[in-house]
Amino acid sequence: MTDADASSPFRLAYVPGVTPTKWVRIWAERLPDVPLTLVPVSAADAPDQLRDRSADVGLVRLPIDRTGLSAIPLYTEIPVVVAPKDHVVAAVDEVSIADLADEIIQHPLDDVLVWERVPGLPAADRPATTADAIELVAAGVGLLVVPQSLARLHHRKDLVYRTVSDGPESRIALSWPEDETTELVEEFIGIVRGRTVNSSRGRTPTAAEPKKKRPAASSSARQKPAAGARTPRPGSGAKGGKPKGGKKGKPRRRS
């Protein structure tokens, strides 16, 4: 990592509903000398923010225009329907698209779900934003289908949300300019993918300490006899087990 990398902040763009808190914390632990700046951005504007280098990486909602961008899918969110607390939807755990056929469904202009056909009955006008649609639902004007994280983001005490079992899901991805896969970008990819600090594709692993060699045995140390060698008995005298003072040859005859 260069001195310029250490002094410049690393900019993370993120779309509504995404909570990058855990990854920001891990970044601060691993790279305390590189500040991380959060850049809130709308789902529609996120790709252009990355292309014009207003952010180094971004947590975006797929599909996006991938021109000039790399992207790694991270996770998928289930769709939910938002309804007033006293609505019949509040009495069940989940609904299907067919269950919404007779309901007015708000379809905001910033909707992030990809529909083949929006369920239910259309409202007289499309609200500009999801926040505006939430206000209409709270006023009793129809229901709203959104990814679960957006329902949590706009949570109100007078509203509930329930799973839509067969609705379109929303995928969250990490994206960045394809010609700017820097060391810091690789570092953040490792963090969101759960790699450890010593991962081969994350930071440089810590070198293992060389094993210590055992000290060589001294010349005076007792050595184990080789296989098949004879060991002198205690009190046998000279080396090799020969009687002390013994001589080779036949015994002399007595005259």
Side-chain angles (χ1 to χ4, degrees), residues 23-91:
W23 299 322
V24 172
R25 175 180 54 78
I26 296 173
W27 178 277
E29 291 172 354
R30 295 188 185 179
L31 292 96
D33 54 338
V34 182
L36 189 150
T37 301
L38 294 175
V39 183
V41 62
S42 70
D45 292 340
D48 288 337
Q49 290 272 343
L50 293 170
R51 274 190 283 265
D52 67 16
R53 307 302 192 269
S54 296
D56 298 291
V57 296
L59 296 166
V60 303
R61 287 190 185 275
L62 299 179
I64 59 171
D65 177 3
R66 292 280 293 271
T67 304
L69 299 176
S70 297
I72 299 173
L74 298 179
Y75 60 91
T76 301
E77 288 187 336
I78 61 172
V80 299
V81 58
V82 181
K85 259 189 172 181
D86 57 356
H87 194 279
V88 65
V89 163

Side-chain angles (χ1 to χ4, degrees), residues 85-130:
K85 259 189 172 181
D86 57 356
H87 194 279
V88 65
V89 163
V92 298
D93 292 330
E94 67 177 32
V95 299
S96 67
I97 293 296
D99 294 330
L100 304 176
D102 297 327
E103 302 286 347
I104 293 175
I105 301 298
Q106 298 292 341
H107 187 210
L109 295 175
D110 66 351
D111 186 14
V112 296
L113 295 176
V114 179
W115 296 97
E116 291 185 5
R117 179 182 179 277
V118 178
L121 305 173
D125 297 296
R126 291 185 66 181
T129 67
T130 298

Side-chain angles (χ1 to χ4, degrees), residues 4-228:
D5 291 333
S7 59
S8 302
F10 186 76
R11 298 158 302 171
L12 168 63
Y14 66 102
V15 298
V18 174
T19 307
T21 308
K22 175 184 176 182
W23 299 322
V24 172
R25 175 180 54 78
I26 296 173
W27 178 277
E29 291 172 354
R30 295 188 185 179
L31 292 96
D33 54 338
V34 182
L36 189 150
T37 301
L38 294 175
V39 183
V41 62
S42 70
D45 292 340
D48 288 337
Q49 290 272 343
L50 293 170
R51 274 190 283 265
D52 67 16
R53 307 302 192 269
S54 296
D56 298 291
V57 296
L59 296 166
V60 303
R61 287 190 185 275
L62 299 179
I64 59 171
D65 177 3
R66 292 280 293 271
T67 304
L69 299 176
S70 297
I72 299 173
L74 298 179
Y75 60 91
T76 301
E77 288 187 336
I78 61 172
V80 299
V81 58
V82 181
K85 259 189 172 181
D86 57 356
H87 194 279
V88 65
V89 163
V92 298
D93 292 330
E94 67 177 32
V95 299
S96 67
I97 293 296
D99 294 330
L100 304 176
D102 297 327
E103 302 286 347
I104 293 175
I105 301 298
Q106 298 292 341
H107 187 210
L109 295 175
D110 66 351
D111 186 14
V112 296
L113 295 176
V114 179
W115 296 97
E116 291 185 5
R117 179 182 179 277
V118 178
L121 305 173
D125 297 296
R126 291 185 66 181
T129 67
T130 298
D132 293 336
I134 290 286
E135 292 294 332
L136 289 170
V137 173
V141 185
L143 309 180
L144 174 66
V145 180
V146 291
Q148 186 175 38
S149 67
L150 288 181
R152 289 174 176 169
L153 177 65
H154 297 287
H155 176 69
R156 293 172 50 131
K157 291 182 178 180
D158 54 349
L159 299 178
V160 296
Y161 60 85
R162 297 292 185 262
T163 300
V164 180
S165 59
D166 53 352
E169 297 178 331
S170 177
R171 292 185 298 159
I172 301 299
L174 178 68
S175 184
W176 67 95
E178 61 184 4
D179 57 349
E180 292 289 339
T181 309
T182 63
E183 181 182 346
L184 291 178
V185 170
E186 286 283 7
E187 187 70 36
F188 196 80
I189 292 171
I191 287 173
V192 298
R193 283 189 156 183
R195 297 187 193 126
T196 64
V197 68
N198 287 330
S199 168
S200 60
R201 291 192 63 185
R203 304 190 76 182
T204 304
T206 304
E209 291 185 6
K211 293 182 179 180
K212 294 181 179 179
K213 294 183 178 180
R214 292 184 179 180
S218 63
S219 57
S220 59
R222 170 181 278 184
Q223 297 182 3
K224 185 176 179 180

